[in-house]
Amino acid sequence: MNKLKDFAYSLANFSGGIVSYAVGSFYMFFYVDQLGLSASYYALAMLFYGIWNAINDPLAGYFSDRTKSRWGRRKPYIMFGAIPLAISFMLVFMPPQFALDNQTTLFLYFLFAMCLYDTFFTIVMLNWSAALPEMYNDEKNRSRVGGISQILGVIGAVGATLLVQPIVNAFGYATMSIIFAIVSAITMLISVYGVREKKENMEEEPLGLIESFKQTFSSKAFIICVTSVLLLETGKILITSSMPFYTGYVLGNDLGVTIIMGAMFISSMIFTPLIVKLAGKIGPKKTYQLSITLYCLGTLGFFVAPNILVVAIISLFLGFAVSGSMIMPNVLYGQIIDEDQIRTGKRREGSYYGINALIMRISIVIQGFVSAFILDSTGYIANATSQTSEALLGFRFLMGLAPCVCFILAFIIIKFYPFFGEKLQELREKSAKLNDIH
């Protein structure tokens, strides 16, 4: 155990948190409300974006598992992908003048910028995530390092949510993107120091592409877990993407996103040690279920909240859910990858995280169509000083009821996840024996 290297490794989540929450919270608002992209064009872009991810994400994981270099399997992608990721992030918020000429050029540029950004984000963060189950084979250390990563990720997300609006208000989106990109690239490069890989895993003969897909989707636990997490992520992205509309038009507060996300993530940082301790006591599955339950209750609160004060209190309450939903899925995936190693004799973190990344992008496609439908059907007017009562109700629906439905479904599905109690203990013993953990 090397605490300095664990911290360095976890710093990548700070880097990822900065860019992902800036994009996740503002890309829809920036293009639809500020630049005037139509809701139908936005939904179409999300459809093509999903198709691109169907190709990009699994291949990124497949080639990661097959990589052989003097730096290892995962490290080169993080090392050489950090700067392209930062540049592609800037391009999302820096459309050239020609892209603003009409709806078609704006649509094409939006699609290009989002696909480019997501490609590099997937390459870098997939390989970073895939490194942890290989670095530590036991759940205790995975949860511990996951907790450190969560705290640093929260700091990055808090930094993004607290600073995006003030910087944008003072200097514009372009300046904000440049500042965030520089910080993200530097911290991501530092994280390379903390990535450790086992040479024997790189020397294994990897499975072929078709066989790799077959083995991955033959895992019942993976299908259950990834479906539940997809619904969870869909609910979360509905919240973050609709938040600027909800706070600006429903609550009438220009700093509403900063207040909500700041309260949510600061409290999640406080709850993180409790999450790690609770997972050791009641197990990762139950901790994950508890997090989903609290998310569901919180979003119901968003739907009926009368003002920003009530919303801020709900956001503080949701810190537990945020922390649990960010840490526990990776712990569950670690169990699934351990079971896969027992079945196949190979460590295939890249394949699992690649397919996971693909499936998670479906959440953005769902969000795109749901949001476009609600905006169009409720009479939303881009960049207006006020909205109709129907549009305001639509924003409440996107922020409250729609995510709540996703969370309920996620809770129901994860009930069928098999690794808990005796089955989990049996898995731990087999994995320990296979990896010579004493």
Side-chain angles (χ1 to χ4, degrees), residues 83-379:
I83 292 176
L85 171 58
I87 293 172
S88 64
F89 167 75
M90 288 190 293
L91 292 177
V92 171
F93 293 104
M94 297 175 68
Q97 188 58 43
F98 73 82
L100 308 180
D101 289 344
N102 55 63
Q103 284 286 305
T104 302
T105 54
L106 183 58
F107 159 74
L108 291 173
Y109 182 82
F110 173 54
L111 178 60
F112 161 76
M114 286 298 293
C115 287
L116 186 68
Y117 159 76
D118 187 77
T119 297
F120 285 113
F121 187 86
T122 295
I123 289 171
V124 173
M125 296 306 291
L126 178 150
N127 282 279
W128 173 77
S129 299
L132 181 57
E134 185 175 339
M135 285 163 52
Y136 291 109
N137 291 104
D138 60 296
E139 282 181 16
K140 182 179 179 181
N141 278 306
R142 287 174 183 171
S143 295
R144 179 182 61 80
V145 177
I148 298 170
S149 298
Q150 162 68 4
I151 291 172
L152 291 174
V154 165
I155 293 173
V158 168
T161 53
L162 291 180
L163 295 175
V164 167
Q165 284 186 317
I167 293 175
V168 166
N169 291 343
F171 305 106
Y173 281 96
T175 300
M176 176 278 295
S177 69
I178 292 170
I179 294 171
F180 280 28
I182 292 171
V183 174
S184 175
I186 291 171
T187 49
M188 185 64 73
L189 289 170
I190 293 172
S191 75
V192 173
Y193 169 73
V195 177
R196 288 93 80 195
E197 300 187 59
K198 296 175 182 177
K199 289 184 179 180
E200 58 268 27
N201 289 338
M202 188 169 63
E203 293 167 358
E204 292 176 351
E205 186 61 33
L207 296 175
L209 180 61
I210 303 301
E211 183 62 23
S212 179
F213 269 64
K214 181 180 176 182
Q215 289 293 337
T216 301
F217 282 107
S218 68
S219 171
K220 177 185 174 184
F222 177 70
I223 299 299
I224 292 169
C225 186
V226 80
T227 304
S228 175
V229 177
L230 167 62
L231 289 162
L232 172 69
E233 289 301 314
T234 302
K236 288 165 66 176
I237 199 169
L238 280 166
I239 293 171
T240 55
S241 63
S242 62
M243 197 177 294
F245 298 88
Y246 176 78
T247 58
Y249 291 119
V250 177
L251 301 180
N253 193 304
D254 290 339
L255 292 177
V257 174
T258 301
I259 294 169
I260 295 172
M261 297 294 277
M264 199 180 292
F265 284 114
I266 288 172
S267 66
S268 77
M269 198 160 41
I270 296 169
F271 280 119
T272 293
L274 175 61
I275 289 289
V276 174
K277 189 173 182 180
L278 193 63
K281 213 167 222 185
I282 67 174
K285 177 182 175 179
K286 288 186 177 179
T287 305
Y288 175 70
Q289 288 177 305
L290 179 58
S291 300
I292 296 174
T293 302
L294 295 178
Y295 246 135
C296 189
L297 294 173
T299 50
L300 287 176
F302 286 150
F303 181 70
V304 299
N307 54 54
I308 189 65
L309 177 61
V310 174
V311 170
I313 294 170
I314 294 170
S315 301
L316 286 170
F317 162 79
L318 277 176
F320 184 100
V322 171
S323 183
S325 69
M326 292 178 75
I327 296 175
M328 288 305 108
N330 283 327
V331 177
L332 297 178
Y333 287 142
Q335 295 171 354
I336 292 164
I337 292 166
D338 288 343
E339 190 271 339
D340 180 83
Q341 183 189 20
I342 294 168
R343 284 192 297 116
T344 67
K346 302 179 187 300
R347 297 292 302 185
R348 299 191 308 115
E349 289 90 350
S351 295
Y352 274 98
Y353 278 103
I355 293 174
N356 172 71
L358 158 66
I359 294 174
M360 290 308 107
R361 295 309 182 274
I362 297 173
S363 65
I364 298 177
V365 178
I366 296 171
Q367 175 270 326
F369 278 93
V370 171
S371 297
F373 174 77
I374 295 299
L375 294 179
D376 276 342
S377 62
T378 58

